[in-house]
Amino acid sequence: MADQPKQSSYTHPDYKNEVDRLLFTRLYIDQALAASEQSAGNARQHLKEAYETLDSLDSSLSYMNLLTGASLLQMNTDQVKRLKSAYDKPYFARIDYQKKNEEKESLYIGKASLHNPENQSQIIVDWRSPVSNVYYDGRLGDVEYEVNGETTQGYLSLKRQYQIEKGELLNIQDVDLTTTDELLQQSLAGKADNRLTEIVSTIQKEQNDIIRAPLNRPIIVQGAAGSGKTTIALHRISYFLYVNSETFHPSDLMILAPNQLFIEYISDVLPELGVDKIKQTTLIDYMSKAAGVNIRLDDPVKKLVALIEQEDSSEEIKKLSQFKGSLLFMKIIDRYLNLMEESLAPKGDVMLEKFRILRGSRLADLFLHDYRYLPVYRRFDKIKGVIQNHLRTKKKHVLKKIEDVYDEALEKALYGIRNDAKRRKRVTFIMDTKAQRTEAVKKEARSTVHMYMKQFEKKSAVDYYKELLMSPELLESCAPELTSEDIDQLVHHSQLMMARRRFELEDLAPIYYLHGRLYGLDDESKVKNVFIDEAQDYSYFQLAALRKILDTSLFTIVGDLAQGIHSYRGMRDWGVVEKEIFGEAHYFTLQKSYRTTIEIMNLANTVLEKMEESLPLVEPVVRHGLVPAYHQLSADRLVQKMEQDIDLLQKEHFTTIAVICKTPSECKKMFSLFASSTLSVQLLTENEELKKNQITLLPAHLSKGLEFDAVLIPSLTEAYKGNELDRKLLYVAMTRAMHRLALYSEHPEDLLLDEAAKEKLTWQNS
């Protein structure tokens, strides 16, 4: 694809005024930034001098009243950073809006806000502000938006969009509905390496509705490939922090990404949105750290590859993974925790010498009921405090009772024994015994709490988890739903796992859950709001564990069941997540795809319609392109043909090109075949960054969430079969392509190409 021509709207009637407004805005940003670094007097003088040199500025625009406030502008570090990043493209849209009973305003919308502090006039309006909703949501005419729960009504007379690059106004477009506007088409026709950072200017109405959905409830988004799920999640984070800037810090929020590669992929977007301080991690890294465990996990990719390659044990792998990822397993662990609590509950009385300080039944009641809101072992801190308080008070009574007993005995000795020698001996004995016993009680009191608390066994979550999985008796008690055969299979699998001293990914959520219920989380692991991308690859247990242990309902969960290549863990129905895990969640669907051309999506839909989930077909929008090509050729000619096609794509100035294979082993074979070519090829692994100006070679499972200008899908030695997992892998691979898609194999069935697919392809026998 050739670079898109830059078209300037010289014929637009407002072109000169808009150029002047852009020049002014950039000048104002310059001086506003200077004002934050220099004295007010110097900044004002700089601003005045710069204004005087701006000969092209039309005085009729009346910007002098804005300029007077620059010297007083105070900005924090983040605002300075955002304005610097916005300098080349200060805004992307304008609305002419008139509030009811007020004068019309022309508002310029950008990624960072800028205003005159003296008269509060807006130079740039932040895209997240309430009034900006009119741009994303409203047609021309009567519109309304909400501010702090109150509806503001007005009239929208103009919606205008700009194409600005490096401070130059290239295009002006007056629009009504953003779904069909020219700016969106230009954005979608752009290259994959910069599109994500510019998406804020082309957010669509259905995306905007989700971004601005009520922030106090969880949301679940089933979004088709290319529908903007990641865009929505990232912009919802930005919007959330904008609305809650006084009560939430970016560190209170966490993005759970599918892998480190994905974190690198979105790294340029977060600073652009002003949320670069947010926690970004993977589920494995987060749960391992939060649970304080350093266990060795089997590589989940190996399990996936084993399932892809259809090993003999695949059905057993699926069954165990699905069980460990189920809400039933969580219920079993809850029963196990109840048994644990009963066994750990205090039973004996707290005694000081022969005196009862506190009844064990009272402590057990506190432990099992009053303090039930706390993690199990944190309840012991409360129990310890109660014992200490009672001991502090009752020790005095105990010592007083001892003193009274011996004082009474002393009085009897003094007045009841006539013999001086006997009386003296008896008095001495009583006084010595009193002193010894008093000192013994005081000494015992110093260790009473410690000795009482010492009885409570303290084990790690991992130890407790092993205990459950290795004990048929415990499993029979806690899991009446399981058959004897199920229990034997689970115990046998666990014994093999423990013998290797390794765990599986599906074990991590139960361990995290146990740790949270037993010990709670440290401050660093606590977050108030969680954003999960590629959530279709989570198990129900993983999501429920996060919900319960973090004790927050503020979740944004986005995914696509059609891309659920890890559905063997159990995730097949968002309804379970919505109703059984969160209860109060808002559920949204996005069926429009903005990534791929209509022709590419039409082909991908032939794979989608055969999936078990019965998901609706994706609606491709806006953009046409070349029909995907299928090349039927022998394996020995496949790489040569791909090299020729890649060379042509590069001559068309495509910059991100991917070769997506079914498995990692297929990738390695392909990489060795590319070794003799002149192409620069990167064999991508999970923890690597995408390298620019290289052909990316990667397996289908690793391509999820990524997008490329062009995608080539070969079947060299490994065919896609007609099972659920292979269909999802192929669908994922196809939907990574923005502009071009080509497929290569010796037999069309190796790429699941049937008659329906044949109609969506240009078929070439080479």
Side-chain angles (χ1 to χ4, degrees):
M1 179 196 73
D3 288 332
Q4 294 296 309
K6 297 179 180 179
Q7 298 176 350
S8 296
S9 297
Y10 296 110
T11 58
H12 194 284
D14 285 343
Y15 178 74
K16 182 178 184 303
N17 286 345
E18 292 292 6
V19 168
D20 289 343
R21 180 54 162 78
L22 178 59
L23 289 171
F24 157 74
T25 303
R26 299 185 79 217
L27 169 66
Y28 195 92
I29 291 175
D30 270 335
Q31 302 311 315
L33 292 171
S36 69
E37 301 167 356
Q38 302 177 37
S39 68
N42 288 340
R44 185 184 294 275
Q45 183 60 34
H46 277 290
L47 189 59
K48 180 181 177 183
E49 292 172 358
Y51 177 72
E52 289 173 350
T53 63
L54 189 59
D55 297 331
S56 64
L57 186 61
D58 188 346
S59 60
S60 65
L61 296 177
S62 301
Y63 290 137
M64 276 303 297
N65 62 323
L66 297 175
L67 298 174
T68 56
S71 63
L72 301 177
L73 189 63
Q74 298 295 322
M75 294 178 292
N76 60 37
T77 303
D78 290 340
Q79 178 73 344
V80 168
K81 188 189 301 183
R82 294 189 70 197
L83 283 175
K84 285 181 177 178
S85 69
Y87 181 70
D88 283 343
K89 187 176 181 179
Y91 48 80
F92 53 81
R94 164 186 161 184
I95 56 173
D96 285 0
Y97 178 71
Q98 185 174 10
K99 289 183 185 178
K100 203 168 185 178
N101 301 320
E102 295 186 19
E103 293 184 1
K104 183 173 73 174
E105 293 182 285
S106 292
L107 302 175
Y108 288 78
I109 301 171
K111 294 179 183 177
S113 63
L114 184 62
H115 71 282
N116 183 337
E118 289 190 347
N119 59 18
Q120 298 304 310
S121 57
Q122 294 284 333
I123 300 170
I124 306 174
V125 177
D126 194 297
W127 71 271
R128 298 166 295 183
S129 68
V131 72
S132 295
N133 202 36
V134 170
Y135 164 72
Y136 291 112
D137 221 19
R139 303 181 181 216
L140 297 181
D142 293 325
V143 293
E144 59 183 35
Y145 64 93
E146 284 193 4
V147 183
N148 299 324
E150 295 185 4
T151 300
T152 299
Q153 296 179 329
Y155 187 83
L156 182 65
S157 57
L158 177 73
K159 277 176 66 173
R160 179 171 290 173
Q161 296 175 336
Y162 306 99
Q163 184 184 359
I164 300 172
E165 291 183 17
K166 297 181 179 179
E168 181 184 356
L169 181 61
L170 300 180
N171 198 12
I172 303 171
Q173 183 74 27
D174 292 335
V175 297
D176 183 1
L177 294 175
T178 57
T179 51
T180 57
D181 67 284
E182 183 177 323
L183 190 65
L184 174 62
Q185 294 189 42
Q186 290 172 349
S187 173
L188 297 180
K191 296 174 181 176
D193 54 3
N194 62 10
R195 202 167 66 87
L196 202 57
T197 61
E198 296 300 325
I199 202 72
V200 67
S201 61
T202 56
I203 292 170
Q204 301 301 287
K205 182 183 184 305
E206 70 272 19
Q207 297 171 330
N208 183 58
D209 289 343
I210 299 173
I211 291 168
R212 298 176 190 254
L215 296 170
N216 59 348
R217 290 177 63 180
I219 69 168
I220 300 168
V221 181
Q222 161 58 38
S227 61
K229 299 183 296 296
T230 300
T231 295
I232 287 168
L234 298 179
H235 286 77
R236 186 167 168 83
I237 293 169
S238 180
Y239 178 65
F240 180 90
L241 288 172
Y242 177 84
V243 173
N244 297 285
S245 59
E246 295 183 1
T247 53
F248 281 82
H249 186 269
S251 61
D252 293 326
L253 284 70
M254 175 172 69
I255 294 175
L256 287 178
N259 47 51
Q260 288 297 326
L261 175 62
F262 188 84
I263 291 174
E264 291 295 333
Y265 185 62
I266 65 172
S267 61
D268 291 337
V269 185
L270 293 172
E272 289 271 342
L273 297 174
V275 291
D276 50 323
K277 296 175 184 175
I278 193 172
K279 293 178 180 177
Q280 303 168 59
T281 185
T282 63
L283 183 75
I284 291 176
D285 289 345
Y286 168 70
M287 283 191 168
S288 298
K289 189 174 181 180
V293 295
N294 189 23
I295 58 176
R296 294 192 300 168
L297 290 179
D298 281 337
D299 185 356
V301 173
K302 289 183 179 179
K303 178 183 286 191
L304 179 62
V305 170
L307 293 173
I308 294 171
E309 295 174 348
Q310 296 293 297
E311 291 187 355
D312 294 338
S313 60
S314 62
E315 287 307 313
E316 182 181 335
I317 292 172
K318 287 181 184 178
K319 183 179 177 181
L320 282 169
S321 296
Q322 187 169 349
F323 169 70
K324 287 183 179 180
S326 68
L327 295 182
L328 170 61
F329 192 36
M330 175 176 272
K331 189 183 294 185
I332 291 168
I333 288 182
D334 281 334
R335 294 175 188 145
Y336 178 44
L337 280 161
N338 289 336
L339 289 179
M340 233 185 287
E341 289 178 354
E342 292 289 342
S343 67
L344 287 170
K347 295 174 178 64
D349 297 341
V350 181
M351 304 294 292
L352 181 58
E353 205 196 42
K354 62 180 180 180
F355 298 95
R356 181 189 293 117
I357 299 300
L358 200 57
R359 290 185 181 276
S361 58
R362 172 57 182 151
L363 291 176
D365 193 54
L366 289 171
F367 181 85
L368 294 172
H369 300 102
D370 295 50
Y371 301 148
R372 192 172 181 81
Y373 66 94
L374 289 170
V376 172
Y377 280 100
R378 290 191 181 176
R379 298 178 207 175
F380 287 122
D381 294 334
K382 288 278 193 179
I383 295 295
K384 184 177 180 180
V386 169
I387 297 173
Q388 287 172 333
N389 289 335
H390 276 73
L391 182 63
R392 195 177 298 114
T393 301
K394 292 192 175 182
K395 183 178 76 171
K396 297 175 183 177
H397 296 300
V398 170
L399 292 173
K400 184 67 169 62
K401 284 184 178 181
I402 292 173
E403 185 178 355
D404 290 346
V405 168
Y406 284 98
D407 285 351
E408 184 180 346
L410 187 61
E411 186 175 353
K412 288 180 180 179
L414 287 171
Y415 298 105
I417 301 176
R418 294 181 178 277
N419 184 289
D420 289 345
K422 288 183 178 180
R423 183 173 62 247
R424 205 166 27 249
K425 184 177 180 182
R426 180 62 178 166
V427 167
T428 301
F429 172 78
I430 291 170
M431 292 182 68
D432 287 347
T433 305
K434 175 185 176 182
Q436 290 170 4
R437 190 173 175 192
T438 299
E439 185 57 36
V441 167
K442 289 180 179 179
K443 184 178 179 181
E444 184 180 338
R446 289 194 288 271
S447 61
T448 296
V449 177
H450 173 73
M451 294 304 295
Y452 189 84
M453 299 304 297
K454 193 177 179 181
Q455 67 178 297
F456 302 114
E457 185 180 26
K458 192 171 184 179
K459 295 193 293 188
S460 72
V462 173
D463 290 334
Y464 277 119
Y465 186 62
K466 288 179 181 178
E467 184 179 281
L468 174 64
L469 293 187
M470 301 282 278
S471 169
E473 295 76 21
L474 269 176
L475 286 169
E476 286 174 8
S477 174
C478 298
E481 297 88 349
L482 300 184
T483 65
S484 298
E485 184 181 348
D486 291 334
I487 290 174
D488 290 343
Q489 187 180 33
L490 181 57
V491 171
H492 176 67
H493 178 78
S494 302
Q495 288 171 341
L496 294 176
M497 187 173 65
M498 302 309 168
R500 296 189 301 113
R501 297 182 180 180
R502 300 186 79 89
F503 290 87
E504 299 172 303
L505 173 59
E506 289 77 19
D507 296 305
L508 190 54
I511 291 171
Y512 166 82
Y513 183 65
L514 276 168
H515 179 83
R517 289 285 306 275
L518 291 169
Y519 295 100
L521 301 179
D522 57 32
D523 289 341
E524 191 176 345
S525 299
K526 292 177 182 176
V527 290
K528 300 175 183 177
N529 200 333
V530 183
F531 296 79
I532 301 177
D533 205 346
E534 303 291 348
Q536 76 279 350
D537 291 334
Y538 282 53
S539 70
Y540 295 128
F541 196 146
Q542 288 168 344
L543 291 174
L546 290 167
R547 166 73 175 89
K548 290 190 176 183
I549 300 305
L550 287 171
D551 193 25
T552 179
S553 61
L554 300 182
F555 277 75
T556 296
I557 296 170
V558 300
D560 179 13
L561 294 180
Q563 299 181 64
I565 60 176
H566 295 280
S567 59
Y568 60 86
R569 295 177 190 147
M571 173 69 79
R572 292 181 179 276
D573 183 2
W574 291 121
V576 175
V577 181
E578 178 188 4
K579 295 168 185 172
E580 296 186 38
I581 297 177
F582 289 98
E584 71 279 25
H586 283 297
Y587 179 73
F588 299 88
T589 59
L590 292 170
Q591 287 308 118
K592 292 181 180 178
S593 175
Y594 299 95
R595 174 187 298 141
T596 64
T597 62
I598 291 171
E599 289 72 18
I600 292 173
M601 200 66 242
N602 285 342
L603 178 64
N605 272 335
T606 65
V607 179
L608 178 62
E609 63 186 355
K610 295 181 177 65
M611 291 189 187
E612 296 179 11
E613 284 83 0
S614 298
L615 295 166
L617 298 183
V618 180
E619 303 171 27
V621 297
V622 178
R623 190 166 50 88
H624 281 281
L626 293 181
V627 174
Y630 170 62
H631 302 279
Q632 185 173 4
L633 70 179
S634 59
D636 59 332
R637 298 188 56 216
L638 188 147
V639 172
Q640 181 184 3
K641 175 58 179 169
M642 291 177 67
E643 288 175 349
Q644 292 171 356
D645 289 350
I646 290 171
D647 182 59
L648 291 174
L649 289 168
Q650 289 177 330
K651 286 178 180 177
E652 291 186 74
H653 303 290
F654 285 110
T655 56
T656 59
I657 302 171
V659 175
I660 302 179
C661 300
K662 180 181 174 182
T663 65
S665 59
E666 180 93 320
C667 283
K668 290 178 182 177
K669 293 173 187 173
M670 190 68 67
F671 186 68
S672 65
L673 294 174
F674 275 126
S676 59
S677 76
T678 58
L679 295 173
S680 179
V681 179
Q682 176 191 11
L683 178 58
L684 194 68
T685 60
E686 184 166 342
N687 296 316
E688 273 190 299
E689 295 182 27
L690 285 166
K691 295 177 181 177
K692 292 185 177 181
N693 302 317
Q694 289 197 12
I695 308 303
T696 304
L697 175 61
L698 73 167
H701 74 270
L702 198 56
S703 71
K704 278 196 306 89
L706 306 179
E707 59 183 28
F708 303 91
D709 294 329
V711 169
L712 293 76
I713 303 175
S715 173
L716 183 66
T717 60
E718 297 187 30
Y720 289 86
K721 300 171 184 175
N723 58 66
E724 176 192 18
L725 179 54
D726 280 19
R727 289 192 183 282
K728 289 182 174 178
L729 288 168
L730 182 58
Y731 178 77
V732 167
M734 286 182 174
T735 54
R736 300 309 96 199
M738 287 178 59
H739 306 295
R740 295 287 179 80
L741 175 64
L743 300 94
Y744 308 79
S745 70
E746 187 167 359
H747 308 288
E749 56 268 26
D750 292 345
L751 291 167
L752 305 181
L753 300 177
D754 55 14
E755 288 302 314
K758 191 172 183 178
E759 296 176 0
K760 315 294 183 184
L761 291 161
T762 58
W763 202 288
Q764 300 179 18
N765 294 309
S766 301

